[in-house]
Amino acid sequence: MYPEPNINDSYGKLALLVPLLWILYFIGLTIYRVTLHPLAKFPGPTLAGATYLYEAWFDVVLWGRYTHQIGHLHQEYGPIIRINPDELHCNDHLFANSIYTTGSRRRDKSSHYVHSFPPRYVDYGLTIQATVSHDLHRIRRRAMNKFFSRAQICELESTIQSSALKLCRKILSCEGQGALNLASAYSCFTADLISDYSFGQSFGFLDQPGWEPNYKRSVDILLGLGHVLRLLPILGSLMEMVPLSLMQLLSRDIGKVVFPHQIELARESSKPGAKLGAARSTIFTSLLEDSTLPREEKTTARLASEANSIMVGGTESTAVTLSLFTYHVLANPDVLDRIRAEIDTVTADDQGRLPGHKLEQLPYFTAAIQEALRLVHGISGRAARIAPDEDLVYIKSSHSPVRSCYHRNEFVIPRGYAVGMSAYLLHTDKDIFPEPHQFRPQRWLDKNGKRDRSLDKYLFTFGKGDRQCVGMQLAYWELYICAAALIVRVFPRLSLSGTSVRDVQYDHDELIGKPYVGSKGVRVLVSNKEN
Ligand code: HEM
């Protein structure tokens, strides 16, 4: 007779074996990553190539600070470095056009990067911004481009003008009420505009008595989740399993960014003969009617995710640029005077509005907007791309901003591996932007005070290549029209309150660049007479 196998004993062995196998796998993987892996020959700290924990230390534990560390690593290792097991980082402007291409050279997004976007809200794979595949992105982008062309945005001018005037009146009505945080005010303005354009119905944040609620907190929460989701994608999958109703109960702010209802309304109004249609065509009614978009691209889940992506992309980035612009202009009265003098040369229309196409021709005003965009950085950290069909050859240029002990001049990046650049590091390259942390609009002008466009190609705030911000024209139009209205109607009665340059200065990444944790943003006092 054989003794009966002890089941508890077998479970015990299995319980030991599983972690042991996992540890062996992990050790094997680590050795592979630093020896035989196709990126193993690239310069960089061994730990960064061996494990994602290195990136997690800077981005999760130290909170969004890997970009600073990447800057230090470039100083030590040269213009192209390995920053995690599967990704390289380059800090040479001249290589940007090889990474961020347009036309027939295909570029996928790296799935590690797109995991930063919270599932369901700016859904991984469902939105244009989180689409990994180049080919699928082309289909989605083609359908969306027409809403953001210059001609289309010019059509929107009167809506932008009315919202800007509404914003000015509302700020002025805060006279004598203590410090006003402009982050909320500007967020109300941008969210109202983009919701109106997307759904044909504005959120109406500027029409409510105060500035709350608004969309800012929801966007902050979503962007703040980015590092954790990217480095622990399983959390994303868990989030996906939480029913929407529960998520709305758990967080009122996150609950606000779910739009199936708006998509269903758009679907109803796009049906032939519908009665409840919006007065004009909106982004989503038009996407639903677009016969070139395959049916699976028009599901409510996908379009609701896309709505989130447009709302998130279109609200906070423009609002923070306006805040940064406001701080620097109020803190530098000579800059304000110069812009004001230029704006005074523009003839207003019969309703007192300053036309966008005239404003964009003002050289100093434009230079100040470019400078605000440079210092705001947009998506400040790395935005990696993968070339699936070609090896990329990087040849160290004489420009290359970093001096290194590595003497290799040529690197071949194997196809299928991610390589990216970071707006913050490019925008603070002293060779291109001397005194990079200073707000100096004149750097965008020639010695005769005319616009010098030679620096424009180094502005990375809207990204580059095929995946460059689709809303760029709209953002410029909002900035010109709103900033001009504020300068003429509001700034003479504003003064900064308890705000320093640190409140607008880049400190860390939360997908977009953020000032130090705890910053209260740009706060102003509104007085009843002009300063
Ligand atoms: C100052 C304002 C803005 C800044 C700095 C900005 C920045 C950016 C950047 C850097 C990207 C590329 C992202 C990447 O590579 O992953 C992007 C993409 C995008 N932005 Fe903006 N954006 C701004 C305004 C807007 C506005 C007003 C909209 C309104 C609709 C918008 C919608 C989008 C969308 C939908 C994408 C994805 C495009 C694609 O993947 O093809 N953005 N934005």
Side-chain angles (χ1 to χ4, degrees):
M1 288 289 284
Y2 295 106
E4 281 286 310
N6 183 339
I7 292 199
N8 286 344
D9 211 30
S10 311
Y11 278 140
K13 281 186 185 142
L14 200 62
L16 271 179
L17 195 63
V18 171
L20 192 72
L21 283 177
W22 189 84
I23 290 170
L24 281 177
Y25 166 75
F26 187 72
I27 293 173
L29 181 67
T30 308
I31 294 172
Y32 165 73
R33 281 171 172 170
V34 295
T35 53
L36 299 173
H37 190 286
L39 303 187
K41 288 194 233 58
F42 282 82
T46 309
L47 203 54
T51 163
Y52 281 93
L53 292 175
Y54 188 84
E55 177 180 351
W57 172 257
F58 290 98
D59 265 351
V60 178
V61 181
L62 302 183
W63 200 243
R65 305 195 72 79
Y66 199 25
T67 301
H68 287 290
Q69 174 65 4
I70 290 173
H72 299 315
L73 295 177
H74 276 299
Q75 294 297 331
E76 191 178 340
Y77 292 99
I80 188 146
I81 56 172
R82 188 181 187 192
I83 57 163
N84 71 33
D86 304 301
E87 185 174 337
L88 301 172
H89 191 275
C90 179
N91 198 26
D92 184 344
H93 284 283
L94 297 178
F95 199 50
N97 290 342
S98 302
I99 300 177
Y100 304 98
T101 51
T102 50
S104 58
R105 293 175 73 188
R106 292 164 76 229
R107 292 292 177 268
D108 292 339
K109 267 194 176 169
S110 110
S111 54
H112 181 58
Y113 169 60
V114 303
H115 274 121
S116 312
F117 300 105
R120 184 178 293 144
Y121 305 99
V122 191
D123 208 321
Y124 172 61
L126 285 190
T127 68
I128 187 167
Q129 200 159 0
T131 305
V132 169
S133 146
H134 172 95
D135 299 330
L136 182 54
H137 176 264
R138 288 287 76 204
I139 294 172
R140 291 177 172 171
R141 180 75 184 230
R142 243 194 315 272
M144 208 180 274
N145 271 343
K146 55 179 175 285
F147 306 105
F148 294 99
S149 66
R150 188 178 159 87
Q152 197 68 30
I153 298 307
C154 289
E155 298 251 310
L156 205 62
E157 170 153 2
S158 74
T159 312
I160 304 176
Q161 295 276 10
S162 324
S163 294
L165 289 187
K166 213 187 265 185
L167 171 72
C168 291
R169 278 197 292 271
K170 197 168 158 95
I171 294 179
L172 291 177
S173 75
C174 296
E175 174 205 322
Q177 292 179 12
L180 164 67
N181 189 334
L182 288 177
S184 296
Y186 292 159
S187 169
C188 290
F189 164 72
T190 54
D192 272 8
L193 260 179
I194 192 68
S195 53
D196 184 22
Y197 194 39
S198 298
F199 311 122
Q201 199 175 29
S202 144
F203 282 171
F205 291 145
L206 288 175
D207 298 314
Q208 62 189 350
W211 302 99
E212 307 274 342
N214 59 50
Y215 196 60
K216 180 176 164 37
R217 224 181 116 60
S218 319
V219 176
D220 282 347
I221 292 178
L222 290 183
L223 298 184
L225 290 172
H227 298 305
V228 182
L229 290 175
R230 191 177 71 251
L231 287 146
L232 263 183
I234 187 147
L235 279 186
S237 314
L238 292 176
M239 251 175 106
E240 188 85 15
M241 282 161 21
V242 180
L244 280 184
S245 48
L246 180 59
M247 191 59 94
Q248 278 162 323
L249 268 183
L250 290 176
S251 166
R252 276 180 53 219
D253 291 302
I254 290 197
K256 270 195 234 122
V257 290
V258 193
F259 296 111
H261 171 66
Q262 279 87 339
I263 300 303
E264 284 312 321
L265 277 181
R267 196 183 296 284
E268 285 307 309
S269 65
S270 67
K271 283 184 182 157
K275 292 210 173 53
L276 62 110
R280 58 179 162 74
S281 164
T282 68
I283 297 183
F284 287 94
T285 51
S286 306
L287 284 179
L288 285 161
E289 284 161 11
D290 188 330
S291 57
T292 65
L293 263 185
R295 181 192 284 259
E296 63 275 16
E297 287 296 301
K298 299 183 191 176
T299 62
T300 300
R302 192 191 95 70
L303 292 183
S305 285
E306 199 68 287
N308 296 331
S309 120
I310 291 179
M311 285 304 306
V312 172
T315 303
E316 200 47 18
S317 39
T318 320
V320 292
T321 311
L322 279 171
S323 283
L324 185 141
F325 177 88
T326 302
Y327 171 80
H328 285 291
V329 171
L330 291 181
N332 296 289
D334 51 322
V335 173
L336 176 57
D337 290 347
R338 256 185 100 170
I339 300 178
R340 180 69 211 241
E342 269 191 356
I343 291 180
D344 284 346
T345 65
V346 175
T347 316
D349 68 10
D350 48 7
Q351 291 169 58
R353 303 182 308 193
L354 299 160
H357 69 277
K358 297 261 175 60
L359 294 170
E360 67 176 356
Q361 283 161 23
L362 302 177
Y364 191 78
F365 184 33
T366 300
I369 287 179
Q370 291 291 88
E371 186 67 344
L373 285 166
R374 180 183 72 84
L375 286 174
V376 99
H377 306 301
I379 295 192
S380 45
R382 58 219 172 270
R385 299 286 184 270
I386 293 174
D389 312 315
E390 54 178 327
D391 297 340
L392 299 182
V393 180
Y394 171 72
I395 298 173
K396 206 156 127 187
S397 63
S398 54
H399 159 73
S400 173
V402 276
R403 295 125 218 13
S404 132
C405 54
Y406 279 78
H407 298 300
R408 267 172 73 188
N409 284 326
E410 189 175 305
F411 295 86
V412 178
I413 302 165
R415 66 194 63 196
Y417 285 91
V419 54
M421 292 186 162
S422 300
Y424 170 73
L425 298 176
L426 297 173
H427 290 162
T428 50
D429 178 343
K430 291 191 187 72
D431 291 342
I432 292 169
F433 301 109
E435 297 188 84
H437 300 288
Q438 302 296 316
F439 184 80
R440 286 184 39 199
Q442 59 276 21
R443 68 172 93 241
W444 302 90
L445 301 174
D446 67 17
K447 56 183 184 319
N448 300 317
K450 299 238 162 24
R451 267 286 275 130
D452 174 2
R453 296 190 175 276
S454 62
L455 284 185
D456 289 4
K457 60 177 176 290
Y458 301 118
L459 188 69
F460 212 74
T461 309
F462 292 104
K464 289 251 181 266
D466 278 338
R467 310 262 188 147
Q468 186 176 46
C469 176
V470 74
M472 183 167 78
Q473 283 292 339
L474 173 58
Y476 268 111
W477 226 231
E478 287 179 63
L479 291 172
Y480 275 112
I481 291 170
C482 186
L486 289 165
I487 283 170
V488 172
R489 293 162 193 269
V490 178
F491 284 7
R493 287 176 49 190
L494 292 193
S495 53
L496 290 167
S497 166
T499 305
S500 79
V501 70
R502 284 189 67 218
D503 292 300
V504 291
Q505 217 163 37
Y506 169 84
D507 175 80
H508 65 280
D509 307 313
E510 284 181 33
L511 208 59
I512 60 174
K514 287 278 191 178
Y516 69 96
V517 177
S519 163
K520 294 203 176 78
V522 176
R523 280 148 300 143
V524 292
L525 293 175
V526 187
S527 78
N528 60 359
K529 50 180 186 304
E530 298 198 354
N531 297 316

